[in-house]
Each structure stands twice: as C-alpha cells, then as structure tokens.
Amino acid sequence: MKNTKHDAPDQRAAAFAAWLHAELEARGYDLSGPRSGGRGAFAKDSGISPSTVGRMLRGDHITDTRVLALLAQALRVSLADVLVRAGVIDEEELKAVQNPATGTRRISPEQAADELGIDDEQSRRLFLSMTQTLQRKPPPGTGEDNLAEQ
C-alpha cells in the first residue's frame, strides 16, 4: 500500500486548516479576525489550548492524537475522519483498519490443536473429533442439517 501521508505535509496541513476553519464557522465561531473571540471560545468549548487551536487554524501540522480526539469530539465528527483530514493516516490505511482482510490460510484440525497448545492426548482427541464433526456436511434429507434449529 502506498503511503501518501508524508508526500506533502504543508499542503495537507493547509487543507486541514481550511476544513477546520469552515467547520468552526459553520458552528457559529467567529474567526473573522484575531480578536473576534471564536478561537478562544472554541478552545474553551473543546478543551484544546488556544495556542493549539491557533496552530491548527494557521496550518501547522498537528498529529497529537489526543488533540485530534478532542477536536473530533467537539465537532461531533468521527475521529477517523479527523485523522484522515489531518494526514495522520490516509484513506487506504483507514479502510484497511475498518475492513481487515481475512486470511486465506487454511489449517487442519491437527495444526489448530498444535497452535492452540492442546497437548493432552484426551483433550486433543476430543478437539479433533469435534472439529471434524463440525466440518462435515450432513447428507441431504436426513434432518441432521436442522439439528441446530431444534
């Protein structure tokens, strides 16, 4: 997977700042000037220091996940969205975490017993017998395929 989060940090930080600016103004914070009070009000409401809010709005690259978590909470948006917008992770990494690929590796019941550390001979025979029973398909029309529903 190509990692693009370090390709253009200045560009990403500027885009994040523009997004944050728009989000804050949409929520009624006045960011029209340095003394307009919006930055300070958001800092107070979010629990993020005023200097950190200022750095984010100026386009300084902020990657502290605690700050970004507070930001997500204050804006009522997902932390995942904030992490992607801040350039901490990219869309592909987010998708990989949200939808992990299942392995195609198949192992035998004997290998599973080994990996699970089932060494006792009786426990091992019981485990192998149970997994083999669960793996077999009952013959059609015998009613065995409906045993779990009874």
Side-chain angles (χ1 to χ4, degrees):
M1 169 180 355
K2 183 181 176 198
N3 186 348
T4 59
K5 66 180 175 243
H6 298 293
D7 290 347
D10 293 339
Q11 214 172 21
R12 209 171 11 269
F16 180 71
W19 171 80
L20 180 57
H21 194 277
E23 289 292 317
L24 295 182
E25 285 191 331
R27 287 164 172 75
Y29 293 100
D30 181 4
L31 303 175
S32 61
R35 304 228 184 269
S36 61
R39 291 177 188 188
F42 180 71
K44 182 179 176 190
D45 293 346
S46 66
I48 301 171
S49 74
S51 62
T52 300
V53 171
R55 285 195 311 272
M56 287 189 292
L57 288 168
R58 278 193 311 273
D60 292 349
H61 193 65
I62 304 291
T63 59
D64 184 333
T65 55
R66 292 170 298 195
V67 170
L68 297 174
L70 287 171
L71 179 63
Q73 184 179 4
L75 296 177
R76 290 188 169 91
V77 298
S78 75
L79 176 57
D81 187 36
V82 172
L83 292 174
V84 169
R85 289 182 180 278
V88 175
I89 60 174
D90 61 34
E91 288 283 345
E92 289 180 23
E93 291 169 324
L94 177 60
K95 288 176 187 173
V97 170
Q98 290 176 330
N99 304 306
T102 57
T104 57
R105 178 179 166 234
R106 293 188 52 91
I107 61 173
S108 69
E110 291 82 6
Q111 290 169 317
D114 290 341
E115 289 190 25
L116 290 169
I118 302 173
D119 296 325
D120 175 68
E121 189 58 37
Q122 184 177 0
S123 297
R124 189 175 180 89
R125 278 197 312 264
L126 177 63
F127 176 81
L128 294 174
S129 174
M130 183 172 292
T131 51
Q132 289 165 351
T133 299
L134 290 170
Q135 286 178 327
R136 78 178 171 93
K137 294 197 184 263
T142 63
E144 289 183 46
D145 52 342
N146 295 329
L147 285 177
E149 296 172 9
Q150 297 178 4

